[in-house]
């Protein structure tokens, strides 16, 4: 990732996504979502798009392909299998998914969210992770 995409200001790390910005489609029922993303401990599933999240997350892409190959009846639903018992982990995962939709990612190292964000990004296996 080019250095102009990452800023560190006052203990806050800001990363500009390498993806196009379609954040208005994130969890928006009017944008024709075709994927329910369930995060344990969160009241409602997120309404996402297979094409967007699957293109940017190797984990999601693999899960969707496996469900399709198995002719799964819940092929349009993903349940997050990693621990989200802490609010910081759920919030980091939602931020990481919003990053997939082109939202700039801000992580405050002072609030302890840095470890949760690193875990969420690596578990999602984002395609831009090496950058």
């Amino acid at each position: 990732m080019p250095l102009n995409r990452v800023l560190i200001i006052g203990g806050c790390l800001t990363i500009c996504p390498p993806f196009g910005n379609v954040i208005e489609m994130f969890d928006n029922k009017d944008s024709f979502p075709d994927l329910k993303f369930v995060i344990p401990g969160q009241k409602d599933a997120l309404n996402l798009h297979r094409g967007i999240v699957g293109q940017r997350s190797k984990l999601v892409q693999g899960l969707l392909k496996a469900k399709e190959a198995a002719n799964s009846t819940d092929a349009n639903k993903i349940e997050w299998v990693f621990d989200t018992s802490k609010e910081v982990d759920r919030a980091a995962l939602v931020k990481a998914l919003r990053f997939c939709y082109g939202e700039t990612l801000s992580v405050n190292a002072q609030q302890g969210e840095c470890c949760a964000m690193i875990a969420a990004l690596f578990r999602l296996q984002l395609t831009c992770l090496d950058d």
Side-chain angles (χ1 to χ4, degrees), residues 4-21:
N4 62 352
R5 290 194 181 272
V6 179
L7 299 170
I8 301 173
I9 301 172
C12 187
L13 174 70
T14 302
I15 304 171
C16 296
F19 319 117
N21 187 337

Side-chain angles (χ1 to χ4, degrees), residues 13-32:
L13 174 70
T14 302
I15 304 171
C16 296
F19 319 117
N21 187 337
V22 290
I23 192 62
E24 71 280 353
M25 295 175 69
F26 182 84
D27 198 27
N28 179 351
K29 290 182 180 179
D30 293 334
S31 67
F32 306 103

